[in-house]
Amino acid sequence: MSMKKFDLEKMQALKIGGQMKGAGVPDRFAQGAAVATEKREQRKRDAAAGLVPFACKLPSALLQQLQQRAAAHEGGVNALVAELLEKSLTA
């Protein structure tokens, strides 16, 4: 018994669909997957160092000052804010 053209095309589509499901994700689409792992590892390192995420809302003028100072500071924004908070809390 011969198959109709539609049935042949349908079988071909199913075959292609199966191949696509079995194939891995191309690298160009999976580039973000490595970033998630790195972020997870960074959070683990931060937790081991006793660092805790702290978010707050600041006026834009103050934020600009912090960013300018942080550019010259060796530890970046995090170290600068920690240093400034320590100084202000001990005074």
Side-chain angles (χ1 to χ4, degrees):
M1 175 171 111
S2 65
M3 298 180 80
K4 295 181 181 179
K5 181 166 174 58
F6 175 78
D7 292 331
L8 289 172
E9 293 295 328
K10 185 177 174 183
M11 293 298 288
Q12 184 68 21
L14 289 172
K15 182 179 175 183
I16 291 172
Q19 289 173 346
M20 288 174 62
K21 285 181 184 176
V25 178
D27 285 340
R28 67 176 185 225
F29 297 116
Q31 288 173 352
V35 174
T37 306
E38 291 173 7
K39 286 183 181 179
R40 205 172 289 137
E41 291 172 1
Q42 181 65 40
R43 275 186 254 138
K44 286 180 183 178
R45 286 191 297 256
D46 289 347
L51 301 175
V52 179
F54 177 75
C56 63
K57 296 183 180 191
L58 301 172
S60 61
L62 180 60
L63 182 62
Q64 289 174 355
Q65 287 179 350
L66 280 173
Q67 289 173 341
Q68 289 173 355
R69 285 191 186 184
H73 196 271
E74 63 186 45
V77 175
N78 292 328
L80 175 65
V81 170
E83 182 182 316
L84 292 173
L85 284 173
E86 285 178 14
K87 285 182 183 178
S88 66
L89 292 174
T90 57

Coordinates of all heavy atoms in Angstrom, one line a residue:
M1 N 0.8 -1.2 0.0 CA 0.0 0.0 0.0 C 0.9 1.2 0.0 O 1.8 1.4 0.8 CB -0.9 -0.1 1.3 CG -1.7 1.2 1.5 SD -2.9 0.9 2.8 CE -2.3 2.0 4.0
S2 N 0.7 2.1 -0.9 CA 1.5 3.3 -1.0 C 0.8 4.4 -0.2 O -0.4 4.4 0.0 CB 1.6 3.8 -2.5 OG 0.3 4.1 -3.0
M3 N 1.7 5.3 0.3 CA 1.2 6.4 1.2 C 0.9 7.6 0.3 O 1.6 7.9 -0.7 CB 2.3 6.7 2.2 CG 2.6 5.6 3.2 SD 3.8 6.0 4.4 CE 2.8 6.9 5.5
K4 N 0.0 8.4 0.8 CA -0.3 9.6 0.1 C 0.8 10.7 0.4 O 1.5 10.5 1.3 CB -1.7 10.2 0.6 CG -2.8 9.3 0.2 CD -4.1 9.9 0.7 CE -5.3 9.0 0.3 NZ -6.6 9.6 0.8
K5 N 0.9 11.7 -0.5 CA 1.9 12.7 -0.3 C 1.8 13.4 1.0 O 2.8 13.7 1.7 CB 1.8 13.7 -1.4 CG 2.8 14.8 -1.3 CD 2.9 15.6 -2.6 CE 3.8 16.8 -2.5 NZ 5.1 16.6 -2.2
F6 N 0.5 13.6 1.5 CA 0.3 14.3 2.8 C 0.9 13.4 3.9 O 1.6 13.9 4.8 CB -1.2 14.5 3.0 CG -1.5 15.1 4.4 CD1 -1.3 16.4 4.7 CD2 -1.9 14.3 5.4 CE1 -1.5 17.0 5.9 CE2 -2.2 14.8 6.6 CZ -2.0 16.1 6.9
D7 N 0.6 12.1 3.8 CA 1.1 11.2 4.9 C 2.7 11.2 4.9 O 3.3 11.1 5.9 CB 0.6 9.8 4.7 CG -0.9 9.8 5.0 OD1 -1.4 10.6 5.8 OD2 -1.6 8.9 4.3
L8 N 3.3 11.2 3.7 CA 4.7 11.2 3.6 C 5.3 12.5 4.2 O 6.3 12.4 5.0 CB 5.2 11.1 2.2 CG 5.0 9.7 1.5 CD1 5.3 9.9 0.0 CD2 5.9 8.7 2.1
E9 N 4.7 13.6 3.9 CA 5.1 14.9 4.5 C 5.0 14.9 6.0 O 5.8 15.4 6.8 CB 4.4 16.1 3.9 CG 4.7 16.3 2.4 CD 6.1 16.7 2.2 OE1 6.7 17.4 3.0 OE2 6.7 16.3 1.1
K10 N 3.9 14.3 6.5 CA 3.6 14.3 7.9 C 4.7 13.4 8.6 O 5.2 13.8 9.7 CB 2.2 13.7 8.2 CG 1.8 13.7 9.6 CD 0.3 13.2 9.7 CE -0.1 13.0 11.1 NZ -1.5 12.5 11.2
M11 N 5.0 12.3 8.1 CA 6.0 11.4 8.6 C 7.4 12.1 8.6 O 8.2 12.0 9.6 CB 6.1 10.1 7.9 CG 4.9 9.2 8.0 SD 4.5 8.7 9.7 CE 5.8 7.6 9.9
Q12 N 7.7 12.8 7.6 CA 9.0 13.6 7.5 C 9.0 14.7 8.6 O 10.0 14.9 9.2 CB 9.1 14.2 6.1 CG 10.4 14.9 5.9 CD 11.6 14.0 5.8 OE1 11.5 12.8 5.6 NE2 12.8 14.5 6.1
A13 N 7.9 15.4 8.8 CA 7.8 16.4 9.8 C 8.0 15.8 11.2 O 8.7 16.4 12.0 CB 6.5 17.1 9.7
L14 N 7.4 14.6 11.5 CA 7.6 14.0 12.7 C 9.0 13.6 13.0 O 9.6 13.7 14.1 CB 6.7 12.8 12.8 CG 5.2 13.1 13.0 CD1 4.4 11.8 12.9 CD2 4.9 13.8 14.3
K15 N 9.7 13.1 11.9 CA 11.1 12.7 12.0 C 12.0 13.9 12.3 O 12.8 13.8 13.1 CB 11.5 12.1 10.6 CG 12.9 11.6 10.6 CD 13.2 10.9 9.2 CE 14.6 10.5 9.1 NZ 14.9 10.0 7.8
I16 N 11.7 15.0 11.6 CA 12.5 16.2 11.8 C 12.3 16.7 13.2 O 13.2 17.1 13.9 CB 12.2 17.3 10.8 CG1 12.7 16.8 9.4 CG2 12.8 18.6 11.2 CD1 12.2 17.7 8.3
G17 N 11.0 16.7 13.7 CA 10.7 17.2 15.0 C 11.4 16.3 16.1 O 12.0 16.9 17.1
G18 N 11.5 15.0 15.9 CA 12.2 14.1 16.8 C 13.7 14.4 16.8 O 14.4 14.4 17.9
Q19 N 14.3 14.7 15.7 CA 15.7 15.1 15.6 C 16.0 16.4 16.3 O 17.0 16.5 17.0 CB 16.1 15.2 14.1 CG 16.2 13.8 13.4 CD 16.5 14.0 11.9 OE1 16.4 15.1 11.4 NE2 16.8 12.9 11.3
M20 N 15.1 17.3 16.2 CA 15.3 18.6 16.8 C 15.2 18.5 18.3 O 15.9 19.1 19.1 CB 14.2 19.6 16.3 CG 14.5 20.1 14.9 SD 13.2 21.2 14.2 CE 13.3 22.5 15.3
K21 N 14.3 17.7 18.8 CA 14.2 17.5 20.3 C 15.4 16.8 20.8 O 15.8 17.0 21.9 CB 12.9 16.6 20.6 CG 11.6 17.4 20.4 CD 10.4 16.6 20.8 CE 9.2 17.3 20.6 NZ 8.0 16.5 20.8
G22 N 16.0 15.8 20.1 CA 17.1 15.1 20.5 C 18.4 15.9 20.5 O 19.3 15.6 21.2
A23 N 18.5 16.9 19.6 CA 19.7 17.6 19.5 C 19.9 18.6 20.7 O 18.9 19.0 21.3 CB 19.6 18.4 18.2
G24 N 21.1 18.9 21.0 CA 21.4 19.8 22.1 C 21.0 21.3 21.7 O 20.8 21.6 20.5
V25 N 21.1 22.1 22.6 CA 20.9 23.6 22.4 C 22.1 24.2 21.8 O 23.2 24.0 22.4 CB 20.4 24.3 23.7 CG1 20.2 25.8 23.4 CG2 19.2 23.7 24.2
P26 N 22.1 24.9 20.7 CA 23.3 25.5 20.1 C 23.9 26.5 21.1 O 23.2 27.1 22.0 CB 22.7 26.3 18.9 CG 21.4 25.7 18.6 CD 20.9 25.2 19.9
D27 N 25.2 26.6 21.0 CA 25.9 27.5 22.0 C 25.4 28.9 22.0 O 25.4 29.6 23.0 CB 27.4 27.5 21.6 CG 28.1 26.2 22.1 OD1 27.5 25.5 22.9 OD2 29.2 25.9 21.5
R28 N 25.1 29.5 20.8 CA 24.7 30.8 20.8 C 23.4 31.1 21.6 O 23.2 32.2 22.1 CB 24.5 31.3 19.4 CG 23.3 30.7 18.7 CD 23.1 31.2 17.3 NE 21.9 30.6 16.7 CZ 21.8 30.2 15.5 NH1 22.9 30.2 14.7 NH2 20.7 29.7 15.1
F29 N 22.6 30.1 21.8 CA 21.4 30.3 22.6 C 21.7 29.9 24.1 O 20.9 30.3 25.0 CB 20.2 29.4 22.1 CG 19.8 29.8 20.7 CD1 19.9 28.9 19.7 CD2 19.3 31.0 20.5 CE1 19.5 29.3 18.4 CE2 18.8 31.4 19.2 CZ 19.0 30.5 18.2
A30 N 22.7 29.2 24.3 CA 22.9 28.7 25.7 C 24.0 29.5 26.4 O 24.5 29.1 27.4 CB 23.4 27.2 25.6
Q31 N 24.4 30.6 25.8 CA 25.4 31.4 26.4 C 25.0 31.9 27.8 O 25.8 32.1 28.7 CB 25.8 32.6 25.5 CG 26.6 32.2 24.3 CD 26.8 33.4 23.3 OE1 26.2 34.4 23.5 NE2 27.6 33.1 22.3
G32 N 23.8 32.2 28.0 CA 23.3 32.7 29.3 C 23.3 31.7 30.4 O 23.2 32.0 31.5
A33 N 23.3 30.4 30.0 CA 23.3 29.3 31.0 C 24.6 29.4 31.9 O 24.5 29.1 33.1 CB 23.2 28.0 30.3
A34 N 25.7 29.7 31.3 CA 27.0 29.8 32.1 C 26.9 31.0 33.0 O 27.5 30.9 34.1 CB 28.2 29.9 31.1
V35 N 26.3 32.0 32.7 CA 26.2 33.2 33.5 C 25.4 32.9 34.8 O 25.8 33.3 35.9 CB 25.5 34.4 32.8 CG1 25.3 35.6 33.7 CG2 26.4 34.8 31.6
A36 N 24.3 32.1 34.7 CA 23.5 31.7 35.8 C 24.4 30.9 36.8 O 24.3 31.1 38.0 CB 22.3 31.0 35.4
T37 N 25.2 30.0 36.3 CA 26.1 29.2 37.2 C 27.1 30.1 37.8 O 27.3 29.9 39.0 CB 26.8 28.1 36.3 OG1 25.8 27.4 35.6 CG2 27.6 27.2 37.2
E38 N 27.6 31.1 37.1 CA 28.6 31.9 37.7 C 28.0 32.8 38.8 O 28.6 33.0 39.8 CB 29.3 32.8 36.6 CG 30.1 32.1 35.7 CD 30.6 32.9 34.5 OE1 30.3 34.2 34.5 OE2 31.2 32.4 33.6
K39 N 26.8 33.3 38.6 CA 26.1 34.1 39.6 C 25.8 33.2 40.8 O 26.0 33.7 42.0 CB 24.8 34.6 39.1 CG 24.9 35.7 38.1 CD 23.6 36.3 37.7 CE 23.7 37.4 36.7 NZ 22.4 37.9 36.2
R40 N 25.4 32.0 40.6 CA 25.2 31.1 41.8 C 26.5 30.9 42.6 O 26.4 30.9 43.8 CB 24.6 29.8 41.2 CG 23.8 29.0 42.2 CD 23.1 27.8 41.6 NE 22.0 28.3 40.7 CZ 21.8 27.7 39.5 NH1 22.6 26.7 39.1 NH2 20.9 28.1 38.7
E41 N 27.6 30.7 41.9 CA 28.8 30.5 42.5 C 29.3 31.7 43.3 O 29.8 31.7 44.4 CB 29.9 30.1 41.5 CG 29.7 28.7 41.0 CD 30.6 28.4 39.8 OE1 31.5 29.2 39.5 OE2 30.5 27.2 39.3
Q42 N 29.0 32.9 42.7 CA 29.4 34.2 43.3 C 28.6 34.4 44.6 O 29.1 34.8 45.6 CB 29.1 35.3 42.3 CG 29.5 36.7 42.9 CD 31.0 36.8 43.2 OE1 31.8 36.4 42.4 NE2 31.3 37.4 44.3
R43 N 27.3 34.0 44.6 CA 26.5 34.1 45.8 C 27.0 33.2 46.9 O 27.0 33.6 48.0 CB 25.0 33.8 45.4 CG 24.3 35.0 44.9 CD 22.8 34.7 44.8 NE 22.6 34.5 43.3 CZ 21.8 33.6 42.8 NH1 21.2 32.7 43.5 NH2 21.7 33.6 41.4
K44 N 27.4 32.0 46.5 CA 28.0 31.1 47.5 C 29.3 31.7 48.1 O 29.5 31.6 49.3 CB 28.3 29.7 46.8 CG 27.0 28.9 46.6 CD 27.4 27.6 45.9 CE 26.1 26.8 45.6 NZ 26.5 25.5 44.9
R45 N 30.1 32.2 47.2 CA 31.4 32.8 47.7 C 31.1 34.0 48.6 O 31.7 34.2 49.7 CB 32.3 33.3 46.6 CG 32.9 32.1 45.8 CD 34.0 32.7 44.9 NE 33.4 33.5 43.8 CZ 33.2 33.1 42.6 NH1 33.6 31.9 42.2 NH2 32.7 33.9 41.7
D46 N 30.1 34.8 48.3 CA 29.7 36.0 49.1 C 29.2 35.5 50.5 O 29.5 36.1 51.5 CB 28.7 36.9 48.4 CG 29.3 37.6 47.2 OD1 30.5 37.7 47.1 OD2 28.5 38.2 46.4
A47 N 28.4 34.5 50.4 CA 27.8 34.0 51.7 C 28.9 33.4 52.6 O 28.9 33.6 53.8 CB 26.8 32.9 51.4
A48 N 29.9 32.7 52.0 CA 31.0 32.2 52.7 C 31.8 33.3 53.4 O 32.4 33.1 54.5 CB 31.8 31.3 51.9
A49 N 31.9 34.4 52.7 CA 32.7 35.6 53.2 C 31.9 36.4 54.2 O 32.4 37.4 54.8 CB 33.1 36.4 52.1
G50 N 30.6 36.0 54.4 CA 29.8 36.7 55.4 C 29.1 38.0 54.8 O 28.6 38.8 55.5
L51 N 29.1 38.0 53.5 CA 28.5 39.2 52.8 C 27.0 38.9 52.6 O 26.6 37.8 52.3 CB 29.1 39.5 51.5 CG 30.6 39.8 51.5 CD1 31.2 39.9 50.1 CD2 30.9 41.0 52.3
V52 N 26.2 39.9 52.8 CA 24.7 39.8 52.7 C 24.3 40.9 51.7 O 24.7 42.1 51.8 CB 24.1 40.1 54.1 CG1 22.5 40.0 53.9 CG2 24.6 39.1 55.1
P53 N 23.4 40.6 50.8 CA 22.9 41.6 49.9 C 22.1 42.6 50.6 O 21.3 42.3 51.5 CB 22.0 40.9 48.9 CG 21.9 39.5 49.4 CD 22.9 39.3 50.5
F54 N 22.3 43.9 50.3 CA 21.6 45.0 51.0 C 21.2 46.0 49.9 O 22.0 46.6 49.3 CB 22.5 45.7 52.0 CG 21.9 46.8 52.7 CD1 20.9 46.6 53.7 CD2 22.3 48.1 52.4 CE1 20.4 47.7 54.3 CE2 21.8 49.2 53.0 CZ 20.8 49.0 54.0
A55 N 19.9 46.2 49.7 CA 19.4 47.1 48.7 C 18.7 48.3 49.4 O 18.1 48.2 50.4 CB 18.4 46.4 47.8
C56 N 18.9 49.5 48.9 CA 18.3 50.7 49.4 C 18.1 51.7 48.2 O 18.8 51.6 47.2 CB 19.0 51.3 50.5 SG 20.7 51.9 50.0
K57 N 17.2 52.6 48.4 CA 17.0 53.6 47.4 C 17.7 54.9 47.8 O 17.5 55.4 48.9 CB 15.5 53.9 47.2 CG 14.8 52.6 46.7 CD 13.3 52.9 46.4 CE 12.7 51.6 45.9 NZ 11.4 51.8 45.4
L58 N 18.4 55.5 46.9 CA 19.2 56.7 47.2 C 18.8 57.8 46.2 O 18.5 57.5 45.0 CB 20.7 56.4 47.0 CG 21.3 55.3 48.0 CD1 22.7 55.0 47.6 CD2 21.2 55.8 49.4
P59 N 19.0 59.0 46.6 CA 18.8 60.1 45.6 C 19.8 60.0 44.5 O 21.0 59.6 44.7 CB 19.0 61.4 46.4 CG 18.8 61.0 47.8 CD 19.2 59.5 47.9
S60 N 19.5 60.4 43.3 CA 20.4 60.3 42.1 C 21.7 61.1 42.3 O 22.7 60.6 41.9 CB 19.7 60.6 40.8 OG 19.3 62.0 40.9
A61 N 21.6 62.2 42.9 CA 22.8 63.0 43.1 C 23.8 62.3 44.0 O 25.0 62.3 43.8 CB 22.4 64.4 43.7
L62 N 23.3 61.7 45.1 CA 24.1 60.9 46.0 C 24.7 59.7 45.3 O 25.9 59.4 45.5 CB 23.3 60.5 47.3 CG 24.1 59.7 48.3 CD1 25.3 60.5 48.9 CD2 23.2 59.3 49.4
L63 N 23.9 59.1 44.5 CA 24.4 57.9 43.8 C 25.5 58.3 42.8 O 26.5 57.6 42.7 CB 23.3 57.2 43.0 CG 23.6 56.0 42.3 CD1 24.1 54.9 43.2 CD2 22.4 55.5 41.5
Q64 N 25.4 59.4 42.2 CA 26.4 59.9 41.2 C 27.7 60.1 42.0 O 28.8 59.8 41.5 CB 26.0 61.1 40.5 CG 24.9 60.8 39.5 CD 24.4 62.1 38.8 OE1 24.7 63.2 39.2 NE2 23.5 62.0 37.8
Q65 N 27.6 60.7 43.2 CA 28.8 60.9 44.0 C 29.5 59.6 44.4 O 30.7 59.5 44.3 CB 28.5 61.7 45.3 CG 28.2 63.2 45.0 CD 27.8 63.9 46.3 OE1 27.7 63.2 47.4 NE2 27.7 65.2 46.3
L66 N 28.7 58.7 44.8 CA 29.2 57.3 45.1 C 29.9 56.7 43.9 O 31.0 56.1 44.1 CB 28.1 56.4 45.6 CG 27.7 56.6 47.1 CD1 26.4 55.8 47.4 CD2 28.8 56.3 48.0
Q67 N 29.3 56.8 42.8 CA 29.9 56.2 41.6 C 31.2 56.8 41.2 O 32.2 56.2 40.8 CB 28.9 56.2 40.4 CG 27.7 55.3 40.6 CD 26.7 55.4 39.5 OE1 26.6 56.5 38.9 NE2 25.8 54.4 39.4
Q68 N 31.3 58.1 41.4 CA 32.5 58.9 41.1 C 33.6 58.4 42.0 O 34.8 58.2 41.6 CB 32.3 60.4 41.1 CG 31.5 60.9 40.0 CD 31.1 62.4 40.1 OE1 31.4 63.0 41.2 NE2 30.5 62.9 39.1
R69 N 33.3 58.4 43.3 CA 34.3 58.0 44.3 C 34.7 56.5 44.1 O 35.8 56.1 44.3 CB 33.8 58.2 45.7 CG 33.8 59.6 46.1 CD 33.5 59.7 47.6 NE 33.4 61.1 48.0 CZ 33.2 61.4 49.3 NH1 33.2 60.5 50.2 NH2 33.1 62.7 49.6
A70 N 33.7 55.7 43.7 CA 34.0 54.2 43.6 C 34.9 54.0 42.4 O 35.7 53.0 42.4 CB 32.7 53.5 43.4
A71 N 34.9 54.8 41.4 CA 35.7 54.7 40.2 C 37.2 54.8 40.6 O 38.1 54.1 40.1 CB 35.4 55.7 39.2
A72 N 37.5 55.6 41.6 CA 38.8 55.8 42.1 C 39.2 54.8 43.3 O 40.4 54.6 43.6 CB 39.1 57.2 42.6
H73 N 38.2 54.2 43.9 CA 38.4 53.3 45.0 C 38.8 52.0 44.5 O 38.3 51.4 43.5 CB 37.1 53.2 45.8 CG 37.3 52.7 47.2 ND1 37.2 51.3 47.5 CD2 37.6 53.3 48.4 CE1 37.5 51.1 48.7 NE2 37.7 52.3 49.3
E74 N 39.7 51.3 45.2 CA 40.3 50.0 44.7 C 39.3 48.9 44.9 O 39.3 47.9 44.1 CB 41.5 49.7 45.5 CG 41.3 49.5 47.0 CD 42.6 49.3 47.7 OE1 43.6 50.0 47.5 OE2 42.7 48.4 48.6
G75 N 38.3 49.0 45.8 CA 37.4 47.9 46.0 C 36.1 48.1 45.3 O 35.2 47.2 45.4
G76 N 35.9 49.1 44.6 CA 34.7 49.4 43.9 C 33.6 49.9 44.8 O 33.8 50.4 45.9
V77 N 32.4 49.9 44.3 CA 31.2 50.4 45.0 C 31.0 49.7 46.3 O 30.8 50.4 47.4 CB 29.9 50.4 44.1 CG1 28.7 50.8 44.9 CG2 30.1 51.2 42.9
N78 N 31.0 48.4 46.3 CA 30.7 47.6 47.5 C 31.7 48.0 48.7 O 31.3 48.2 49.8 CB 30.8 46.1 47.3 CG 29.6 45.7 46.4 OD1 28.6 46.3 46.4 ND2 29.9 44.7 45.5
A79 N 33.0 48.0 48.4 CA 34.0 48.3 49.4 C 33.8 49.8 49.9 O 34.0 50.0 51.1 CB 35.4 48.0 48.9
L80 N 33.6 50.7 48.9 CA 33.4 52.1 49.3 C 32.2 52.3 50.2 O 32.3 52.9 51.3 CB 33.3 52.9 48.1 CG 33.0 54.4 48.3 CD1 34.2 55.1 49.0 CD2 32.6 55.1 47.0
V81 N 31.1 51.7 49.9 CA 29.9 51.8 50.7 C 30.1 51.2 52.1 O 29.8 51.8 53.1 CB 28.7 51.2 50.1 CG1 27.5 51.2 51.0 CG2 28.3 52.0 48.8
A82 N 30.8 50.1 52.2 CA 31.1 49.4 53.4 C 32.0 50.3 54.3 O 31.8 50.5 55.5 CB 31.7 48.1 53.2
E83 N 33.0 50.9 53.7 CA 33.9 51.8 54.4 C 33.2 53.0 54.9 O 33.4 53.4 56.1 CB 35.1 52.2 53.4 CG 36.1 53.0 54.0 CD 37.2 53.4 53.0 OE1 37.6 52.5 52.2 OE2 37.5 54.6 52.9
L84 N 32.4 53.6 54.1 CA 31.7 54.8 54.5 C 30.7 54.5 55.6 O 30.5 55.3 56.6 CB 31.0 55.5 53.3 CG 31.9 56.1 52.2 CD1 31.0 56.5 51.0 CD2 32.7 57.2 52.8
L85 N 30.0 53.4 55.5 CA 29.1 53.0 56.6 C 29.8 52.7 57.9 O 29.3 53.1 59.0 CB 28.2 51.8 56.2 CG 27.1 52.1 55.2 CD1 26.5 50.7 54.7 CD2 26.1 52.9 55.8
E86 N 30.9 52.1 57.8 CA 31.7 51.8 59.1 C 32.1 53.1 59.7 O 32.0 53.3 60.9 CB 32.9 50.9 58.7 CG 32.6 49.5 58.5 CD 33.8 48.7 58.1 OE1 34.9 49.2 58.3 OE2 33.6 47.5 57.7
K87 N 32.6 54.0 58.9 CA 33.1 55.3 59.4 C 31.9 56.1 60.1 O 32.1 56.7 61.2 CB 33.7 56.2 58.3 CG 35.1 55.8 57.9 CD 35.6 56.7 56.8 CE 36.9 56.3 56.3 NZ 37.4 57.2 55.3
S88 N 30.8 56.1 59.4 CA 29.6 56.9 59.9 C 29.0 56.2 61.2 O 28.5 56.9 62.0 CB 28.6 57.1 58.9 OG 28.0 55.8 58.5
L89 N 29.1 54.9 61.3 CA 28.5 54.2 62.4 C 29.4 54.3 63.7 O 28.9 54.2 64.8 CB 28.1 52.8 62.1 CG 27.0 52.6 61.1 CD1 26.8 51.2 60.7 CD2 25.7 53.2 61.6
T90 N 30.7 54.4 63.5 CA 31.6 54.5 64.6 C 31.7 55.9 65.1 O 32.1 56.1 66.2 CB 33.0 53.9 64.2 OG1 33.5 54.6 63.1 CG2 32.9 52.4 63.9
A91 N 31.4 56.8 64.3 CA 31.5 58.3 64.7 C 30.4 58.7 65.6 O 29.4 58.2 65.8 CB 31.6 59.2 63.5

